[in-house]
Amino acid sequence: MPKRASSASTTPTKTKRVKESHNQIRLDHFFASPSKQHLESKGTNTRSPLPEFIQGSSKLQKNTRPSSPEIIDVDAIDIATEPNESSAHTTINKQSSPKEDVSSIPSILAKVDKQQAQSEKPAIFAALDVDPVTYSPDLPLPHSAEAPYSLLTLALISLSQTRSRILIIDILTNVLRTIMANYPPSLLPAIYLLSNSLGPQFIPIELGLGSSILTRSIQQVSGMSAAALRKLYNSTGDPGDVAYTAKSNVRTLVAHKPLTIPLVYNSMIKISKCKGQGAAKEKQKIVEKLLLAANGEEVRYLTRTLCQNLRVGAVRTSILTALARAVVLTPPSTVSTAPTSFDEDADNPLHVPSSVLMEWKKDWKPTKGKVSDPRRETLYKIYKRAENLIKQVYVRHPSYDQIIPAILQQGLDSLAERVPLAVGVPLLPMLGSPTRSLDEIYAKLGELPFIAEYKYDGQRAQIHASRGSKTKHEMKIFSRHLEDMTAKYPDVTGLIEYMFQSAPDLTSFIIDAEIVAIDRATGALKSFQELSGRARKDVNIKEVKISVGIFAFDLMYLDGESLLGRSFRLRRTLLRDRFSPFKMQSNEDPFLARFNFVESCESTQGRAAIETFITNAVENRCEGLMIKLLDEPDLSGTVPEKQSRHKVLPATYEPDLRTLGWLKLKKDYMEGIVDSLDLIPVGAWYGNGRKVKWWSPVLLALWNPRTGRPVAVCKCMSGFTDTFYATMKETYSLGSELCSETQKWECDFGGFKPDVYFKPCVVWEIRGADITESPVSIAAQELVSDSRGLSLRFPRFIRVKDDKGIEQASNPAFLVDMWRNQQGKRNDAGNDEGDLVDVDEYMESSAGEEEDQESDF
């Protein structure tokens, strides 16, 4: 046996302070909040905003899902000498000093071990990583009414050990089936815990659990010092691993009731509601109780859940797919599955009868790839029908609070009617597919009639309103990401009140619009940067200094009727017929927002008119144009080969989809709008989805002649071909002299944290959007501000510059010149779909995306 650490005196050996190095500090997702994850000062004076036990050097973790790490021998780590004064729990830590009275410890530990063996015996569940058809969700009775947290932990462990999308969906399907069959009330909290959230996206529920609270909780439960925990973190790099290792050395004198899924979820809700004086202590108390009740791997994944960083591949699409399949195979007890056989083509069923499933299980052989099996083909047809239904319902009503109870009551039958589009619940917005030129637009649309609209430099807003009694109307304003912005725009809610007053027959509506900063006197458009200067919460309408205009472009709901399935021509006509522009008059409230329709130009006016319209849009400081198909294509008389092209040309409103029915022509993507940059690839992240076997996105850098090394400026994932991806992965193969998991080459990364690091050795030409200020990049920071650098929005790879060395790459001064000379400045946060845009990926149809999700990694 290895010798225990020497402790010849009651005073433990002092641990040397780990020397801080800001180049090696790992900014953890939880222990540093997003707003604090960036280095806020320059040079060696940079201080990490992490808690005490995390500061110092640490190993960077690669972006894989490893199995449980080796438990570290914490006997060799210093422990706290001070008593746990505030602890309300009796624990024994086996790291006791030899001079303490330990004569009774062995017998106590033996008793505790026996007690824990009896009280902590985990529930036994079947393996989840199997074909759902062969999986049995039934458990022996009796069992508890609430699903044990150990079941969810088993699922999380299984998810963390695979990157296969098929296997991820199978695991999720099986765990959801088990919960539905045995613990129906636990399904909703299980879905939220799996999705790493506490509620619908549009309801602001913040856990509010600071890093210091979790640090103190782990210290309190384990009895370990901050220095010991810091050592653990430097060795594992993950808060969950730290808590798991620390808790593994603790024995409790009092057995704790096993954790359940509802208990964990409800505890997190309680934490989110702790406010005011004493909130921190109350939160810590809740966390300590959870950690003490957790056993084994539960500690690891409970901690990651509290950090809101589960590190498993359970994304929203996977959860919805698994939920649909779970209901198909294990419908709620309220749904009748009596028939022993069924006609799939005639009945279009959404569930598989239990008797049929039992018959299939007898000789069902799990297989990879496509096989000629009528039963499997039938099952996949039912799967696809159920998945499409649940996804359709979710994008129109993205709230599990209504979807899950509806499923448990009646299954999938008539689910869309029972959970419809509703005022006050934002739907996921329809998205535009980028194009690079007007020629490309005409090539895609041909002679089909379309409307060209200004793409304003503002904030997309979804405005919900419903008439109430007298002046108590229901009004909500949601952002593109479904955040509730109602309190931010009292001038818009005031405008809605005016609309109801001036239109007595108007009862309810949902409008898609752009909120743009305007000059109150002239109505001239202002930049998004000025709009972002408005306060975000509790805005007093009398104190509003930045006026806004509402530019409406679509109508999804009117007077109790959904318009999503109607053509854009009809929706546009209703919008303009039922609503009127509102501009400031001498006798009207000057604090109300203005209302108008987007500037537009019809294709019937000719191509020359559209070209002039593009020029006018750029001159009016717009981002470009949106091209929208007016009517559904007439497919009669077309050959099947041509029909497939028109399937992605809908004139209907398609929530959460990018189709060719909406095309986006931004000045950022048009040749000649923005000069190109010569940048150096210095790192990358592991790809997802179709790109899982490649590096994507890639981190690019400028060359800083002042420091003599590159400085990271932006990520890029657009413009690459599959062939180039394959070549790049071969060139930068992990472990080669050009690619490493750790930082081996000098480079200033700022707030970027790539999964792997590239040796700076080549130069790429990059073209993209305009230059913006960034809280992540430190490129040109010394030339711009003390806290922010510059970055490139929507970068796109053009070509490799073989004729240039890295010292000839673009430098910070060149970037600053571009930033100062560009037409109009935007806020660093952007006002579009994000900082990374793969314009080539947008061209793929939704069918292609679904196919991609079924591919085995």
Side-chain angles (χ1 to χ4, degrees):
M1 292 181 59
K3 294 183 178 180
R4 293 176 60 88
S6 175
S7 53
S9 66
T10 54
T11 304
T13 305
K14 292 184 178 180
T15 303
K16 291 184 179 180
R17 180 181 178 86
V18 180
K19 185 177 181 180
E20 293 187 8
S21 172
H22 75 277
N23 288 328
Q24 297 183 2
I25 291 177
R26 187 180 194 273
L27 302 180
D28 183 81
H29 176 84
F30 173 76
F31 289 101
S33 62
S35 62
K36 296 183 180 180
Q37 284 183 359
H38 316 301
L39 303 178
E40 297 182 352
S41 56
K42 299 178 290 183
T44 56
N45 291 329
T46 300
R47 293 183 59 85
S48 170
L50 308 180
E52 182 183 355
F53 79 80
I54 288 184
Q55 293 179 13
S57 62
S58 61
K59 296 180 180 179
L60 291 167
Q61 306 297 306
K62 58 184 180 180
N63 189 21
T64 57
R65 297 180 177 89
S67 57
S68 301
E70 179 182 358
I71 297 179
I72 299 170
D73 181 12
V74 293
D75 289 340
I77 301 176
D78 292 341
I79 63 170
T81 58
E82 65 275 13
N84 298 330
E85 296 178 357
S86 62
S87 177
H89 314 283
T90 305
T91 63
I92 294 180
N93 191 303
K94 293 193 290 186
Q95 301 169 5
S96 303
S97 173
K99 287 197 173 183
E100 296 174 8
D101 182 10
V102 296
S103 59
S104 61
I105 292 295
S107 60
I108 295 176
L109 283 177
K111 181 178 179 181
V112 171
D113 288 340
K114 182 178 179 180
Q115 192 177 36
Q116 286 187 324
Q118 295 174 347
S119 63
E120 298 178 357
K121 186 178 295 183
I124 299 176
F125 301 102
L128 299 172
D129 54 348
V130 298
D131 191 308
V133 174
T134 64
Y135 178 79
S136 177
D138 297 323
L139 297 177
L141 296 176
H143 54 73
S144 62
E146 295 186 346
Y149 187 67
S150 57
L151 172 61
L152 190 65
T153 300
L154 175 61
L156 295 174
I157 293 172
S158 302
L159 290 170
S160 69
Q161 294 173 345
T162 182
R163 294 180 68 86
S164 167
R165 182 59 54 188
I166 290 178
L167 195 52
I168 287 173
I169 291 175
D170 285 349
I171 294 168
L172 291 171
T173 300
N174 291 333
V175 71
L176 293 180
R177 289 180 65 196
T178 304
I179 295 173
M180 289 177 62
N182 303 280
Y183 318 99
S186 299
L187 182 60
L188 181 59
I191 289 286
Y192 278 128
L193 292 180
L194 282 170
S195 60
N196 214 24
S197 61
L198 297 179
Q201 192 173 349
F202 55 91
I203 298 179
I205 305 177
E206 296 182 4
L207 186 61
L209 191 61
S211 59
S212 60
I213 295 176
L214 188 61
T215 301
R216 291 195 299 268
S217 299
I218 296 174
Q219 284 184 258
Q220 202 68 34
V221 169
S222 67
M224 296 176 66
S225 67
L229 294 178
R230 180 168 60 245
K231 287 183 180 180
L232 288 179
Y233 184 83
N234 290 343
S235 299
T236 64
D238 176 73
D241 296 342
V242 172
Y244 172 81
T245 306
K247 178 75 186 311
S248 66
N249 292 273
V250 174
R251 297 292 184 269
T252 58
L253 294 178
V254 179
H256 293 271
K257 188 177 180 180
L259 289 177
T260 65
I261 291 175
L263 174 63
V264 172
Y265 175 76
N266 292 333
S267 296
M268 295 179 69
I269 293 296
K270 288 181 181 178
I271 291 173
S272 70
K273 293 181 178 179
C274 291
K275 308 293 182 183
Q277 188 175 7
K281 289 185 179 180
E282 186 62 28
K283 291 179 181 180
Q284 182 177 336
K285 182 179 178 181
I286 297 172
V287 173
E288 287 179 17
K289 287 182 178 179
L290 291 174
L291 290 174
L292 282 167
N295 295 308
E297 288 288 339
E298 291 180 355
V299 179
R300 190 193 316 275
Y301 288 97
L302 172 65
T303 304
R304 290 179 181 175
T305 298
L306 293 172
C307 294
Q308 296 186 298
N309 184 25
L310 277 176
R311 296 171 59 185
V312 297
V315 296
R316 186 192 78 198
T317 302
S318 299
I319 292 175
L320 291 173
T321 300
L323 178 61
R325 296 185 178 188
V327 182
V328 166
L329 298 175
T330 308
S333 58
T334 55
V335 177
S336 174
T337 57
T340 56
S341 62
F342 63 109
D343 185 345
E344 194 278 331
D345 292 323
D347 301 334
N348 290 331
L350 292 169
H351 310 97
V352 176
S354 56
S355 57
V356 174
L357 188 60
M358 291 296 294
E359 187 67 27
W360 285 357
K361 288 175 65 173
K362 292 179 181 178
D363 59 347
W364 187 275
K365 295 180 180 180
T367 181
K368 290 185 178 181
K370 295 182 179 179
V371 295
S372 179
D373 184 348
R375 299 174 306 173
R376 192 177 294 273
E377 292 175 2
T378 296
L379 178 61
Y380 283 164
K381 285 182 181 179
I382 301 174
Y383 274 170
K384 185 60 65 177
R385 190 180 301 122
E387 291 165 17
N388 290 340
L389 173 60
I390 282 190
K391 291 175 183 177
Q392 179 189 60
V393 170
Y394 185 86
V395 297
R396 289 162 171 74
H397 196 114
S399 173
Y400 291 121
D401 288 352
Q402 286 76 45
I403 294 174
I404 297 301
I407 289 175
L408 292 176
Q409 289 171 6
Q410 301 181 36
L412 298 178
D413 296 326
S414 66
L415 182 63
E417 290 73 27
R418 290 184 287 124
V419 188
L421 174 68
V423 173
V425 178
L427 65 158
L428 297 177
M430 186 172 176
L431 308 172
S433 299
T435 54
R436 297 185 178 92
S437 66
L438 196 56
D439 289 337
E440 185 178 346
I441 290 173
Y442 276 99
K444 293 180 183 299
L445 301 183
E447 300 299 322
L448 296 174
F450 64 82
I451 287 286
E453 298 177 341
Y454 277 4
K455 189 178 191 312
Y456 292 95
D457 188 15
Q459 183 173 26
R460 189 168 179 179
Q462 197 177 117
I463 303 174
H464 291 234
S466 178
R467 184 183 293 274
S469 59
K470 297 182 180 180
T471 60
K472 293 182 179 179
H473 308 303
E474 179 183 350
M475 292 174 284
K476 288 289 183 181
I477 306 168
F478 300 102
S479 72
R480 180 198 175 278
H481 299 289
L482 310 190
E483 297 169 331
D484 191 339
M485 306 187 298
T486 311
K488 180 180 178 181
Y489 292 109
D491 41 354
V492 176
T493 57
L495 172 67
I496 297 172
E497 293 279 2
Y498 176 83
M499 287 180 173
F500 280 125
Q501 293 174 12
S502 57
D505 58 337
L506 184 65
T507 61
S508 58
F509 62 85
I510 301 177
I511 287 177
D512 212 345
E514 194 85 5
I515 296 180
V516 185
I518 62 173
D519 184 285
R520 183 176 294 178
T522 65
L525 303 180
K526 294 186 177 182
S527 69
F528 177 80
Q529 188 170 5
E530 295 191 56
L531 178 65
S532 64
R534 282 180 62 123
R536 295 180 179 272
K537 297 180 179 179
D538 303 323
V539 178
N540 187 329
I541 193 170
K542 300 297 183 181
E543 297 176 357
V544 171
K545 297 180 180 179
I546 301 172
S547 299
V548 297
I550 311 302
F551 294 90
F553 56 79
D554 214 327
L555 182 64
M556 297 92 83
Y557 187 91
L558 180 64
D559 295 338
E561 180 184 358
S562 171
L563 303 177
L564 300 185
R566 305 295 186 90
S567 69
F568 180 57
R569 185 187 295 276
L570 176 61
R571 301 197 309 273
R572 185 172 181 269
T573 300
L574 287 172
L575 176 65
R576 292 172 179 259
D577 287 347
R578 296 295 302 276
F579 298 87
S580 301
F582 174 77
K583 298 180 180 180
M584 184 180 70
Q585 304 295 332
S586 58
N587 60 337
E588 292 172 340
D589 189 344
F591 290 102
L592 295 184
R594 306 295 166 250
F595 181 85
N596 209 339
F597 309 110
V598 296
E599 290 288 336
S600 61
C601 178
E602 294 195 31
S603 59
T604 54
Q605 296 178 246
R607 176 161 178 158
I610 300 295
E611 291 174 345
T612 301
F613 193 65
I614 294 175
T615 303
N616 292 339
V618 175
E619 290 177 352
N620 281 279
R621 303 182 73 177
C622 293
E623 294 185 312
L625 298 184
M626 289 297 299
I627 308 297
K628 299 178 180 178
L629 196 64
L630 282 168
D631 305 296
E632 290 289 313
D634 183 5
L635 301 181
S636 61
T638 59
V639 295
E641 290 80 4
K642 292 184 179 180
Q643 287 183 13
S644 60
R645 186 177 76 87
H646 291 293
K647 285 182 181 179
V648 292
L649 286 169
T652 53
Y653 193 99
E654 301 295 331
D656 200 38
L657 286 182
R658 295 186 188 277
T659 72
L660 299 185
W662 280 18
L663 297 175
K664 179 167 52 178
L665 180 60
K666 297 184 65 176
K667 65 178 183 180
D668 300 343
Y669 300 137
M670 296 167 62
E671 296 293 331
I673 295 296
V674 178
D675 199 357
S676 63
L677 289 163
D678 294 331
L679 302 179
I680 309 163
V682 293
W685 285 260
Y686 290 92
N688 291 311
R690 190 179 65 84
K691 299 181 181 179
V692 71
K693 57 186 177 182
W694 298 319
W695 301 128
S696 180
V698 179
L699 181 60
L700 303 174
L702 300 163
W703 177 258
N704 190 343
R706 187 178 63 82
T707 61
R709 56 178 178 264
V711 53
V713 65
C714 66
K715 303 176 187 178
C716 179
M717 63 181 295
S718 180
F720 303 113
T721 63
D722 288 1
T723 302
F724 187 88
Y725 271 125
T727 302
M728 178 171 58
K729 188 60 180 290
E730 183 178 350
T731 302
Y732 294 103
S733 59
L734 190 59
S736 69
E737 62 178 10
L738 297 181
C739 182
S740 172
E741 293 177 332
T742 58
Q743 184 181 342
K744 296 172 59 176
W745 304 280
E746 288 190 348
C747 180
D748 295 325
F749 287 94
F752 294 106
K753 303 179 289 296
D755 294 330
V756 294
Y757 298 84
F758 293 168
K759 180 179 180 180
C761 58
V762 296
V763 176
W764 294 350
E765 181 180 356
I766 303 295
R767 185 188 301 276
D770 48 11
I771 314 301
T772 66
E773 293 183 59
S774 168
V776 180
S777 169
I778 59 172
Q781 186 182 68
E782 66 278 7
L783 302 176
V784 178
S785 73
D786 293 333
S787 60
R788 295 192 172 204
L790 296 180
S791 187
L792 180 65
R793 287 180 75 220
F794 309 123
R796 185 174 74 256
F797 171 80
I798 303 299
R799 62 191 175 102
V800 177
K801 301 292 286 288
D802 294 322
D803 58 333
K804 284 193 173 185
I806 62 172
E807 294 184 1
Q808 296 174 299
S810 300
N811 57 44
F814 180 74
L815 184 69
V816 171
D817 286 341
M818 289 181 63
W819 177 62
R820 288 174 176 166
N821 294 332
Q822 71 186 12
Q823 181 183 14
K825 301 174 184 177
R826 291 187 180 86
N827 180 269
D828 61 89
N831 57 325
D832 211 298
E833 286 75 29
D835 294 330
L836 289 179
V837 170
D838 186 343
V839 293
D840 300 314
E841 289 292 317
Y842 290 164
M843 300 302 107
E844 297 181 0
S845 66
S846 59
E849 292 174 357
E850 303 234 347
E851 219 173 86
D852 177 48
Q853 293 166 8
E854 292 299 322
S855 63
D856 193 342
F857 296 167

